[in-house]
Amino acid sequence: MTQTLENPLAARDHARSMEGTVVESMPVLPPVADDLPAGISPSDLVWEETIAAGGYATRRLARGARLRLIDLKGDACASLLIFNAEMPSERLNVADTVKVQWNAYLEKGRLLLSDMGRVLMSLVEDEAETHDCFCGVSNAKLSAAKYGKGQEPAPYFSNGRDRFLNGVAKHGLGPRDVHPCVNLFKGVRVEDDGVITPLTGPFDAGRSVILRAEMDVIVVIANCPHVMDPREEWSCTPLRATAWRGPITPEDDAVRNATPEGRRAFLNVEDYFRR
Amino acid sequence: MTADPYLADLSGAVVHDETVPARGPWLHHIKAGETLRIVDLEGNQAVDFLLYSEADDAERYSAQDTVSAQGNLFLREGTVLRSNEGNPMMTIAGTSVAYHDTIGGACSCESNTLRYGHHTKAQHACVENFLNANLTEGRTKRDIVSNINFFMNVPVEADGSLGIVDGISAPGLTVDLKAEMDVIVVVSNCPQINNPCNGFNPSPVRMIVTA
């Protein structure tokens, strides 16, 4: 190492020798996935990345793109923020998402609505069915209190809020833009008296969801323990993200036409893109 | 002299007392230790409510932090209203209503087009009130997050069904909120006329601040 420190060319050689290193959580460039759904051309892949436990990722996706998330080992929590990519003041509105669809739980066919009366993304496939619209994410103080210090460099500071702040900052956005999120893969049940029962697993490995971008969107995904996870240990496993190009939702799409509220949300999107 | 029932049982001195007309916005700065009493004067009125830290308005009410901290969707007496940084902003010191809602959000012209149809786009909405009130202090759409709906009942059924249910509001019901930090309160006295949250008839509410 002494030679490396003294010799800039040795530093270069050392750095370059790392090329080709493969680890569990990393982006794959160009994207490669050998498990695309039938009929999807590998040439339409736009993103392949495994997000570390405690990590985050952010991506701009074009209208029509599909985003598949896989809970590789059964203990991921995909906390999700969504923005209109060309006007990020428009963003996911969790209250409208549950209120307009008259339902508290996300499942196949549900829409993720913006605060401008439009659908940002649709949940077109859902093997998990344990999702959460109400609890949000942990923050540094909560995480430190729950998991304790003295775990350096333990990930007690790897909390959803700080991951979100990093993610939005990469688009020039700040704390004012971190809005209420949805948590995919970790769920809740709400009892009659309002009590929230967290459904945090761990679950079977390999459960997946597929989201369809109905607008040009920016997604910010944090993968940290659910804020109401009852376990004492900080517990999280990697999350895989794959995205591919796809057609804009046609007028006869079943999800688009499932409810009158949803149909109007799609009409509002189509009106927005009428240029 | 007629005794005012809404002032009679207050312990502190009244420093502000204002009636917000039906459909109107309201913005007020409240110091730590002061208490805001909201009176649903005629009953069946939804009071859409946001909070910002006066010291740094990027810190604001977080429905999700509040819900997860107490492990319950409903806001009751004793509930601590938490910020997006997890800090206590206000505490529900007392209320004559069993619980209040924080998952239904605010009506907007845009969401009204989804729920009721495009013919409602021109109607006044809570988000318009939030925007108008916040703009007086430089805040914009980015500053609007999921809010509280005082006096509103939004239960979640076993199958996830969720809607506004009547049944717990009545004239003269109150909620008392003690400020835990210096806060900016932004209210929309809900103008919604397409669902039962206001009994299809928005009515005034009274805001009393005591120190």
Side-chain angles (χ1 to χ4, degrees), chain B residues 9-94:
Chain B
D9 63 334
L10 290 173
S11 53
V14 174
V15 295
H16 191 84
D17 187 351
E18 182 176 357
T19 295
V20 182
R23 308 168 197 270
W26 188 72
L27 184 151
H28 198 78
H29 290 237
I30 296 178
K31 296 292 175 195
E34 293 182 346
T35 297
L36 167 66
R37 168 170 290 185
I38 306 175
V39 185
D40 182 6
L41 291 168
E42 297 180 19
N44 259 324
Q45 180 57 29
V47 179
D48 289 48
F49 187 96
L50 283 173
L51 277 173
Y52 302 86
S53 163
E54 190 176 56
D56 173 8
D57 63 12
E59 180 170 11
R60 69 275 307 269
Y61 175 68
S62 167
Q64 293 188 327
D65 283 88
T66 301
V67 161
S68 57
Q70 64 178 10
N72 195 296
L73 278 192
F74 298 141
L75 309 186
R76 297 180 169 87
E77 186 167 324
T79 293
V80 178
L81 309 181
R82 291 188 182 272
S83 75
N84 54 354
E85 296 180 20
N87 295 319
M89 302 190 80
M90 296 186 102
T91 300
I92 300 182

Side-chain angles (χ1 to χ4, degrees), chain A residues 52-55 71 73-79 138 143 146-148 151 154-160 185-186 199-203 222-239:
Chain A
D71 180 4
K73 296 180 177 176
D75 214 0
C77 179
S79 298
S138 183
S143 197
K146 188 167 175 182
Y147 302 113
Q151 290 183 308
Y156 70 86
F157 50 82
S158 256
N159 60 84
F185 298 113
K186 301 298 191 192
L199 305 171
T200 51
F203 299 98
N223 182 27
C224 293
H226 188 273
V227 62
M228 287 189 69
D229 192 316
R231 290 171 289 179
E232 290 182 8
E233 294 293 312
W234 189 99
S235 303
C236 189
T237 54
L239 173 74

Side-chain angles (χ1 to χ4, degrees), chain A residues 89 91 99 102-105 115-116 133 135-136 141 161 176-177 180-181 189 193-196 264-265 268, chain B residues 57 64 67-68 71-73 76 84-85 87 104 106 110 113-115 118 141-144 158-160 162:
Chain A
S89 64
R91 58 202 190 187
K99 176 173 67 179
W102 305 96
N103 201 287
Y105 303 128
D115 52 12
M116 292 293 283
C133 293
C135 295
K141 270 180 290 190
R161 179 166 171 78
R176 290 167 196 273
D177 302 289
C181 68
R189 296 298 300 181
D193 57 359
V195 167
I196 292 172
R264 289 194 287 268
N268 286 348
Chain B
D57 63 12
Q64 293 188 327
V67 161
S68 57
N72 195 296
L73 278 192
R76 297 180 169 87
N84 54 354
E85 296 180 20
N87 295 319
E110 292 78 14
T113 72
L114 304 186
R115 279 193 90 166
H118 285 93
K141 183 172 172 301
R142 294 164 71 205
D143 300 295
I144 296 175
D159 65 354
L162 165 162

Side-chain angles (χ1 to χ4, degrees), chain A residues 166-233:
Chain A
N166 284 22
V168 302
K170 299 240 166 125
H171 300 277
L173 305 173
R176 290 167 196 273
D177 302 289
V178 176
H179 49 273
C181 68
V182 293
N183 295 310
L184 303 177
F185 298 113
K186 301 298 191 192
V188 295
R189 296 298 300 181
V190 179
E191 314 299 337
D192 287 346
D193 57 359
V195 167
I196 292 172
T197 304
L199 305 171
T200 51
F203 299 98
D204 291 340
R207 299 187 311 157
S208 68
V209 300
I210 299 179
L211 297 155
R212 180 174 64 195
E214 308 293 0
M215 300 179 65
D216 294 344
V217 295
I218 293 166
V219 294
V220 179
I221 304 167
N223 182 27
C224 293
H226 188 273
V227 62
M228 287 189 69
D229 192 316
R231 290 171 289 179
E232 290 182 8
E233 294 293 312

